[in-house]
Amino acid sequence: MRWIKGVLRIKEWQKKERARELEQLRARTQALKEEIASLEERMAELERIIKQAFSFEKLIEYKSLLSKKNELERALEELEREAEKKKDELKLIYKDIKAVEVVKGKLEMERRRKEFSIEMQKANLLHLIKKLLVFLLVFPLTSFDQSALQKKIKAKNEAKVESELKAVSKELEEKLKKLEEERKKLEELKRVEPKKEEVSPDFQKLIAIFNKADPDEAGAIMNNMDPNLAAEILLNLKATQSAAILSSMDAQKAAQVSQIMARKKAQFKKAP
C-alpha cells in the first residue's frame, strides 16, 4: 500500500501546482482586463475630443492606444486559453486521485476480506477439533473384560467412531488446504503484483499518472515498490520518462528492476 500513498502524494502535489498556476493566470487575466478597460476609457475620451476639435496629435494617440488594445486582447485570449487548459488538467488530476483512492479502497477491502476468511476458517478448525475431542470422550476405549454383547456394542461404536473420525479428518484436511490457499492469495495480494486482465483499467490510469509525474518523485516511490510491479509500470511508460525514473532510483533497486524488465522484454520477443 506504500506505493499507492506515494502516487497519491504525487497527485496532491500536482493538484496544488495546477491550482497555483491557475490562480496566477486568473490574476494576470484580471489585470489585463482592467488595463484594457482603462485604455477604452481613454480612447472614448479621445474620440470626443477629436469630434469636437480635430487634432492629428490626438488621432495618433488614439491609433497607438487602439494598437495596444488589440495587442492586449490577443494576450488576454492566450491567457484565457491557457487557463482553460490548466482547468482541464486540474479536472484530470482530481479524476486520477479519485481513481487511485478507489483502487486503494478495493485493495484494502480485499485484504480485510481475506483476513476475515482466514479467521473464520481458523474458528471452523477449532470447532472440528472440539468435535473430535467429544468423540474421544464419549467413546473411550476400555481395557476390562466385556461380555459378547458389550463387545459387539463396543465394536459397533468403535466402527462408528472410526467412520466419524475419517469424515472429520477429511474435512479437516480440506479446511487446511483451503486455509493454505487463502494464505497464499493473501501473500500475493500484499505483494500487489497486478495482473493486467484483472486491473487493466486501473493499471492504465497508474501508467498515465507516472507518465506525468516528476521523475525524482516517481523514482523515490518506486524505491519502495515491489520490483515486479515497478518493472511492469516502467515497461509501459514513455521511453524517456522510464529512463529518467530509472536513473533517479536507488542504484541497487534500479539494477534489480532493470533485470526484470530485460527478462520480460525477452519473454515478449519469444511469445508468438
Side-chain angles (χ1 to χ4, degrees):
M1 300 293 284
R2 291 175 64 186
W3 65 269
I4 290 184
K5 292 179 181 178
V7 172
L8 285 173
R9 188 166 61 250
I10 287 178
K11 300 314 294 182
E12 287 294 336
W13 175 81
Q14 289 179 341
K15 182 181 73 174
K16 290 179 182 178
E17 281 296 302
R18 293 298 176 276
R20 182 182 61 80
E21 292 169 357
L22 186 58
E23 188 61 32
Q24 289 177 346
L25 286 171
R26 285 171 176 167
R28 290 169 60 190
T29 299
Q30 184 60 32
L32 279 180
K33 287 180 178 179
E34 291 174 358
E35 190 174 353
I36 290 171
S38 177
L39 287 176
E40 288 175 342
E41 288 180 5
R42 176 58 181 163
M43 289 170 66
E45 182 182 352
L46 286 173
E47 280 185 19
R48 288 194 299 271
I49 293 173
I50 291 171
K51 286 179 181 179
Q52 291 174 0
F54 181 79
S55 167
F56 279 108
E57 182 181 349
K58 298 298 181 184
L59 182 60
I60 291 171
E61 183 183 355
Y62 180 87
K63 288 184 176 181
S64 175
L65 292 177
L66 179 61
S67 176
K68 187 175 182 180
K69 178 191 172 188
N70 291 336
E71 183 180 341
L72 291 177
E73 285 177 341
R74 286 193 295 271
L76 179 61
E77 289 176 359
E78 183 65 28
L79 282 178
E80 288 176 341
R81 282 195 296 270
E82 185 67 19
E84 284 299 317
K85 181 181 176 182
K86 294 296 180 184
K87 283 171 65 177
D88 291 339
E89 289 178 0
L90 192 57
K91 288 178 182 177
L92 287 175
I93 290 171
Y94 273 106
K95 287 182 179 179
D96 288 342
I97 290 174
K98 186 175 180 181
V100 174
E101 287 176 343
V102 168
V103 173
K104 180 182 177 183
K106 287 180 179 178
L107 289 174
E108 184 64 24
M109 287 180 64
E110 183 66 13
R111 182 183 65 81
R112 290 178 180 175
R113 187 186 69 80
K114 295 290 184 182
E115 290 179 349
F116 177 75
S117 175
I118 290 175
E119 289 300 321
M120 288 297 295
Q121 291 197 32
K122 286 181 179 178
N124 289 337
L125 287 175
L126 289 174
H127 175 71
L128 289 173
I129 292 170
K130 288 178 181 178
K131 187 176 179 182
L132 179 60
L133 290 174
V134 169
F135 284 135
L136 294 175
L137 290 173
V138 171
F139 302 103
L141 297 176
T142 59
S143 58
F144 54 85
D145 293 335
Q146 298 171 320
S147 66
L149 179 60
Q150 287 176 325
K151 289 181 179 180
K152 186 176 181 180
I153 293 173
K154 177 186 174 183
K156 185 177 180 181
N157 287 337
E158 286 179 349
K160 183 178 179 181
V161 170
E162 186 178 356
S163 176
E164 291 285 350
L165 285 174
K166 286 181 179 179
V168 171
S169 297
K170 184 178 180 181
E171 187 176 355
L172 185 60
E173 288 176 2
E174 290 176 354
K175 291 288 184 180
L176 287 171
K177 185 178 179 182
K178 288 182 180 179
L179 181 60
E180 180 63 19
E181 289 175 355
E182 291 293 340
R183 186 190 65 78
K184 289 180 179 179
K185 288 180 181 178
L186 182 58
E187 288 299 321
E188 288 294 325
L189 181 64
K190 288 181 178 178
R191 284 199 294 271
V192 195
E193 296 181 10
K195 297 179 181 178
K196 289 185 178 179
E197 64 271 20
E198 293 178 356
V199 292
S200 180
D202 294 329
F203 188 69
Q204 290 301 322
K205 290 177 182 177
L206 191 61
I207 296 302
I209 289 171
F210 274 96
N211 261 325
K212 299 175 186 176
D214 176 74
D216 291 335
E217 284 278 348
I221 290 172
M222 287 194 174
N223 282 333
N224 297 312
M225 191 181 289
D226 178 83
N228 289 290
L229 177 58
E232 191 68 31
I233 292 172
L234 289 171
L235 283 171
N236 286 277
L237 297 181
K238 296 175 183 176
T240 53
Q241 179 73 346
S242 179
I245 293 174
L246 261 178
S247 64
S248 68
M249 290 172 63
D250 175 75
Q252 185 176 355
K253 188 63 174 282
Q256 184 183 10
V257 172
S258 297
Q259 289 177 357
I260 296 172
M261 291 173 67
R263 188 166 63 249
K264 286 180 178 289
K265 286 180 180 178
Q267 290 174 353
F268 292 154
K269 289 180 180 178
K270 289 180 181 178

